Structure formats: C-alpha cells, structure tokens
Amino acid sequence: MADRPVPFIQVDPKTNKLVVDPKGKQVLESIRGSVGVCSVAGVYRTGKSYILNQLAGRDSGFGVGSSVQACTKGIWLWGAPIERRGSSAAAAGAPDYVLLLDTEGLQSLCQTEGHDAKIFCLAILLSSFFLYNSEKAINSAAIDQLSLVAQLTKKIRVHAAGNGGGGSDAAELAEVMPSFLWLLRDFQLELEDEQGRPISPDAYLEQSLRAQPGSSAAVQEQNGTRAAIRDLFPRRSCVTLRHPTLGTKLPDSALKQLPAIDKLHPAFRDGVIDLKQRVFGEIRAKAVGGAAATGPMLLGLAEAFVRAVNEGAVPTISTAWQAVLTIECQKALDQAAAIFRAKLSGAAEAEPVAGEAEWAAAVAAARDEALKRFQSVSVGEGRAAFEEKLEAAMRDEQARAEQVRAAKSEAVCARVAASLGARLEAGARSGAPSELAPLLEQTLSDYLAQSHGPAQQAGLKQLVASARGAVEATLERARRDAEERAKEDLRRASAEHAMALQAAKAETAAAAAAA
C-alpha cells in the first residue's frame, strides 16, 4: 500500500460531480479487517493536514501550506492503514485498522457552501471518529463555522421514508453519528468557569454549547447549531493545543512550514502526543446495526453516499448499509460455494474413487470449510437468507459431484470386473476343478481391492455372472471327464473279462486234452 495520501473522493472536472477515485478504491479493497475512520475537518488553513500527519506518525504527507488557497481538495485517504489489531491498547470494539481522512477546508475561496456541505456530510457519514479542527476558542465565530451541523438532520436520513420526505430526527441520527472531538489550536485562554474554578477542556466544550441569551436571528441560528451538536454527538469531547512556536526560539516564518515536532514547544508536543493517544484509544470500528465495516464495505458505503449526493437525494444510511451487507453476503456465498465446489470436485475426481465412508468424510469437510468461510465473511441480519442459498447450492453441487463420482466408479468397476472375469474364465478352462475354489476366492479379493465407489455392487454382479459361467463350465468339464473315465473303466473291465474267459477256456481245453 502507498505510504502517502491518495485521493479518495474528488470532483470530476468534466461533470463537476463527486467521484470515488480509483486510487482510494484500491486501498480500501485490500483491507480485510474491520476499519475505524478518523476524519479531520475544519475551516481551511487551520492546520488540519498537519494534525493528520502527526496522527499518521509523519512530519509530512498530507499537504500543508501557507497561502490563502486550500491545499486539500475533496477527501484524501492515508494510503497505509494504521494497524491496531493485536495492540495492547485496543479496547472492546476497536478496529483492526485505522483510516485517516483529510477533508477539503470549509469556507475556502474557490468553493461554495453547497460544496462544503457535501464534503462535510460525506466525512460525517463515513467516520467513526470525527475531529473538528479550529483555532483559539469556541466563540460565536467558531459556532457559525459549524452551522453545517444543524443541516445534517435535513441532509441525512437513517431509514428510508415511505413518503419520500426529508431527513431523520436528531435522536435517530445520534445513534449512528461518530464520536466528535473539537480540537482547539493555539489555545491561550485560562480554562475556568464563571466562578474562576479550573475546568477541563470537556467542561469548557459543554459550557460553550449552552444556549446563549438573545432573540436576534444570529443568536437563534447559533443556538440552533449548539443544540444540533449536543443532540447529534452524544459522544463528544474537547482537546486544546497551545501555540506551537510561542515561547521558542523559532522565527515567525516557522509557522509557514512547521519543523519536526521535537523542535516545537514542549507543551504543544505533549498535547499532540495526548491527542494521538486519545484518538487511537477511543476510536471504534465503523459500524451500522452492530456490524463492523471492512475496507470493501466502507468503499460500498462511500459509493452509495456519493451517488445519492450527486443525484440531489438525501443519503439514507440504512439503505446504503443494507446494500453493502447484501454485497458482502453475496460475496460470502460465492466464496463459500467456490470452496465447496473445489473440495468436492477434487474428491469426486480422486484416484482411486472414494469409498462411501471416505466420500461422506470429504463432503462433511468441504461443508464445514464452506460454512466457516461464509460465517467469517457474511455480515448483517440478512445472512440467514444467504446461508439458505448456500445450503441449496451445496446440495446441487453435491448431486453433480456424486454423478461424476458414480460415472467414474461405474467405469472403473466395469473394467475391473471384466478383466477379472476374463481371468477367472481362462483359469477355469485351463485349471483343474480342484483349483476353482481358490481361484474364485482370489478373484473376489482382487475385485474388492481394485473396485471403489457406488458402482462396486453392480460390478460385483457382473463378476458373479462371470464366476457362474466359470463354475458351470468347470462342472460341465468335470462331468465330461467323469463320463470318459467311466467309459474307459468299462472298456478296461470288458477287456479284462474277455481275457479271463479266454484263459478259462484254454485251461479247460488243456485239462481235457490231458485226460
């Protein structure tokens, strides 16, 4: 992955529409673990990119500058996700990877409020941790700069509206909003309450978000922004950073291009370290409905939200998320089915053909591996419907594989039965009848050793037919041999009898002559 910023969401100069850049797509598609997304937003030229570089552990990377033109255009992504998996500091719900997003500065000279609203809205929608960067103090001007927050209830919808109406209410949106951290740069005020007691930056934030007295339109609008921040961001906090160069020997020109952080004021340096620990300690995986997003899932959300913004529609979080879940479940189904198909095809084509017990074990192993892959990739409540589809696909694939295995077994068993049957018949013709029984036993043993699979019994029947013929031929040959032996014995007995009669006659004649 690129160890540098890459464009994520940009403006197409030909259409003037927002697009997801291929370079950002490539980064997100490669991330398989859960992702937490930290976006940094704020008025242009307030040092957003510098803070992001520090979060990335770099002194440079995201563009920084000193002119009146905004350096960052659209939304940029740090190209090397920061791995948190296995971190000892990782808390429950912590992501495997942290993504850093740099957003185009608000109120830049070359952009309209409408463009600012789109970028701000997309950054909020895609984040699990939203860092708003501003200078010095939370005053009326700072509240005015965050007036876009008050528009979020009109510009974002949690659930699809049946009547095509506007956005969601604040309570509904608050459940899906990211954690909010207000970073105050160059802060030099004493953190005290009205009674002069020390307070924390978080308490200062809460104090600044209270409704202020007044009936003017400006005060009412600012109070609306304050209320929106309170309502939409229940998980909110504040961090202050002192000026980086005041109290050091660095010249004023150093602000145009800040040197390495170890050259800056120790309090600023310690504050940045504390900020990093806070961000990485509190960030959670981007999730909707309890399901954590991976890189490809975040990409799916970004594409859905960009499409809605370009069409002038109100981005609907649940609809976009459901589309992402459907894509992930289909991906899980396809991967699991492919695993089952490959495993079973290999078992069906194996030599020798698998026996019944071996085949049952192969089917069970393929099924277990496919289901494990499906469970590891699929997300959301709709996974059950896709698991049913997977079961159906596995049944179909098993039936196909069994047909292949049966055909292979039939060919093997028929060949073995024919070969052994021919050997048996030849042996029966040439051997002695007494050799038939051992020959039959050896033939059966050889067949069982060489034949496998579901056609083994059919092949055995073929072999039995050959054996029957061999037995019958042997018996017929034995009968003929017995007949020949009987005839020979009869001929021999007749000859012996004739010879005995002739001898007797000769003896009688001799006796008569002597008398």
Side-chain angles (χ1 to χ4, degrees), residues 450-474:
Q450 297 174 33
S451 64
H452 305 278
Q456 190 178 58
Q457 289 300 315
L460 185 58
K461 290 179 181 179
Q462 177 184 342
L463 184 59
V464 167
S466 298
R468 185 180 297 114
V471 169
E472 290 174 351
T474 300

Side-chain angles (χ1 to χ4, degrees), residues 315-328:
T316 303
I317 295 173
S318 63
T319 301
W321 185 245
Q322 188 55 52
V324 168
L325 296 182
T326 298
I327 291 172
E328 289 302 303

